[in-house]
Amino acid sequence: MTDDTHLSVRGSIRCARLSLALVALIVFVTTVPTLAVGQSDPAISIKTEPTVAGETATTSVVLTSVPNGLAGYQIELAVDDRGVARFENASYPDRFGLTTDPVISSDGGTVTLEAADLDGQIEPGASDVTLATVQLSGVDSGETRVTVASSQLDGDGGGVVEPA
């Protein structure tokens, strides 16, 4: 697994009525490398909508494909510049039968996510599997990366899932 998933938070100015200016953060998250259409190699993807400094944006952490199903995972995401954005909260979809409460560091720089698919709901060949939902808070304008600091994804039957 490479640490190529990143979050860009770019500052811009929004003009409100009465010409009041607010600093806006536009949050873009992309997966690198970009997957070709039809490619089945798993990758972790995060995409968000623009947000304003002082507000939060909710986004899904998605595994693009699971050729051998998914038994469970542990992922740690990290924000490189906590002065631009930080993790505020995280949650899991109901289909995971066993989860560990998300652990967000005291400075909001990392979040650790851990869950298991005890009921076999994520079958071999599934695509665009939402692993968790995270909330990022815009702190100030700028740009930062969100990286997959560490990960362990297990397929059904004990095989390892290795996202790009």
Side-chain angles (χ1 to χ4, degrees):
M1 165 130 223
T2 62
D3 292 341
D4 292 332
T5 301
H6 70 276
L7 162 76
S8 297
V9 182
R10 295 200 170 114
S12 63
I13 301 295
R14 278 191 178 170
C15 293
R17 289 185 184 180
L18 306 173
S19 300
L20 297 175
L22 299 174
V23 175
L25 298 174
I26 300 175
V27 182
F28 297 101
V29 180
T30 58
T31 300
V32 178
T34 302
L35 296 175
V37 174
Q39 187 174 350
S40 63
D41 291 339
I44 296 174
S45 173
I46 306 169
K47 297 180 183 178
T48 66
E49 297 296 320
T51 189
V52 176
E55 295 184 5
T56 59
T58 301
T59 185
S60 296
V61 179
V62 175
L63 184 59
T64 59
S65 66
V66 284
N68 299 317
L70 184 67
Y73 69 89
Q74 179 179 7
I75 298 172
E76 181 179 81
L77 303 176
V79 176
D80 288 349
D81 186 347
R82 292 161 198 98
V84 174
R86 65 177 172 234
F87 294 105
E88 289 294 325
N89 200 358
S91 61
Y92 304 99
D94 290 337
R95 68 178 166 189
F96 288 105
L98 178 64
T99 60
T100 299
D101 288 339
V103 177
I104 299 173
S105 63
S106 61
D107 64 359
T110 63
V111 60
T112 301
L113 308 165
E114 186 176 13
D117 178 22
L118 297 178
D119 298 327
Q121 293 190 31
I122 304 168
E123 298 178 352
S127 61
D128 297 326
V129 175
T130 299
L131 301 175
T133 301
V134 295
Q135 287 181 338
L136 290 159
S137 176
V139 176
D140 201 356
S141 62
E143 182 173 320
T144 188
R145 291 177 56 97
V146 170
T147 56
V148 177
S150 66
S151 68
Q152 177 181 342
L153 290 91
D154 299 316
D156 290 338
V160 175
V161 177
E162 295 186 33

